Amino acid sequence: SQQGEEDPQALSIQEGENATMNCSYKTSINNLQWYRQNSGRGLVHLILIRSNEREKHSGRLRVTLDTSKKSSSLLITASRAADTASYFCAIQGGKLIFGQGTELSVKP
Amino acid sequence: DVKVTQSSRYLVKRTGEKVFLECVQDMDHENMFWYRQDPGLGLRLIYFSYDVKMKEKGDIPEGYSVSREKKERFSLILESASTNQTSMYLCASRNTGGGGQPQHFGDGTRLSIL
């Protein structure tokens, strides 16, 4: 399968803790993107990291990319209840292909 | 901010009906996409379009067609709805640009076929 595979499938943490989600893939990529989806809504783009980049930050988000291991991670620091959502990685070679997602639950 | 608007949040139709799902974007994006999202299967690409009057099949085009008569509007058509087309449908648009561009999604249409 070309799609990203995410780990864990579900994650439950307390407010203030950090959340780490991982994405592995099998093909070569141009870039890798992370999206968030709140329940019953569309996907919202969070961050895009290109294949020649190793790390990117956006606010409380930190994304790393290791092309030698074909893996990426999304770290959300100091999580909040409002971060509760599903998080998807998407790999772009030609088309953009989405993983199955990680369901994050942040308990107040 | 980019806004992608899908005409209905919820829709209920009957088997055999012809169903139209409409999507409009306000950022003059060249590329538009239709996905369906099902539990355990993730997002699957149905059709996409790189320009007006252009369309390309995605991974699961069977039972669907699309229309793009204007740049801002991309319609998904279920020719004869069936119960296995009950799903969440998501429209997205994207600008053309080097180095990769993000996709911008609408809020989705939850379609039930009875």
Side-chain angles (χ1 to χ4, degrees):
Chain A
S1 168
Q2 294 181 35
Q3 72 183 45
E5 295 185 6
E6 299 182 57
D7 172 59
Q9 290 187 331
L11 180 62
S12 182
I13 60 174
Q14 295 294 131
E15 251 187 344
E17 293 180 343
N18 295 342
T20 300
M21 289 159 268
N22 303 295
C23 174
S24 61
Y25 57 92
K26 296 180 180 177
T27 62
S28 60
I29 62 171
N30 295 325
N31 66 71
L32 186 146
Q33 303 177 30
W34 286 90
Y35 290 79
R36 184 186 76 225
Q37 184 179 34
N38 287 60
S39 180
R41 307 299 293 269
L43 278 72
V44 175
H45 178 259
L46 295 175
I47 201 161
L48 181 153
I49 186 165
R50 295 185 171 82
S51 60
N52 61 353
E53 297 175 312
R54 293 296 167 259
E55 188 170 313
K56 282 190 87 167
H57 296 256
S58 177
R60 292 184 295 113
L61 306 181
R62 173 178 168 248
V63 168
T64 61
L65 178 64
D66 186 335
T67 52
S68 67
K69 294 182 179 178
K70 290 186 165 56
S71 67
S72 174
S73 67
L74 170 67
L75 168 68
I76 304 174
T77 60
S79 63
R80 306 166 181 168
D83 294 328
T84 293
S86 294
Y87 291 82
F88 295 86
C89 70
I91 59 172
Q92 181 133 46
K95 293 183 294 186
L96 189 64
I97 300 174
F98 289 83
Q100 297 279 345
T102 293
E103 287 190 24
L104 174 65
S105 174
V106 182
K107 300 185 187 312
Chain B
D1 274 354
V2 177
K3 187 152 183 67
V4 178
T5 303
Q6 294 184 229
S7 53
S8 305
R9 289 292 308 277
Y10 302 94
L11 204 54
V12 180
K13 295 292 183 180
R14 297 208 172 271
T15 304
E17 280 192 72
K18 190 169 186 176
V19 181
F20 293 85
L21 302 183
E22 306 287 348
C23 175
V24 177
Q25 51 97 0
D26 67 356
M27 283 301 292
D28 204 36
H29 286 171
E30 289 84 2
N31 305 327
M32 296 188 76
F33 306 83
W34 275 106
Y35 296 88
R36 62 177 284 176
Q37 184 178 25
D38 300 286
L41 297 176
L43 271 78
R44 292 181 291 168
L45 181 63
I46 305 171
Y47 266 97
F48 60 102
S49 169
Y50 285 138
D51 204 346
V52 176
K53 296 195 186 295
M54 289 185 59
K55 59 185 179 183
E56 297 283 344
K57 292 180 180 179
D59 299 317
I60 51 163
E62 296 79 19
Y64 303 94
S65 63
V66 290
S67 173
R68 193 161 180 208
E69 296 297 317
K70 294 185 178 181
K71 192 174 186 180
E72 67 270 20
R73 185 180 297 270
F74 192 35
S75 304
L76 179 69
I77 304 155
L78 285 65
E79 297 291 343
S80 177
S82 64
T83 54
N84 64 10
Q85 292 178 310
T86 291
S87 186
M88 174 73 140
Y89 289 87
L90 293 164
C91 174
S93 73
R94 184 190 70 186
N95 204 1
T96 300
Q101 297 290 325
Q103 292 191 9
H104 301 270
F105 285 81
D107 271 341
T109 295
R110 190 166 292 282
L111 176 64
S112 295
I113 307 295
L114 304 179

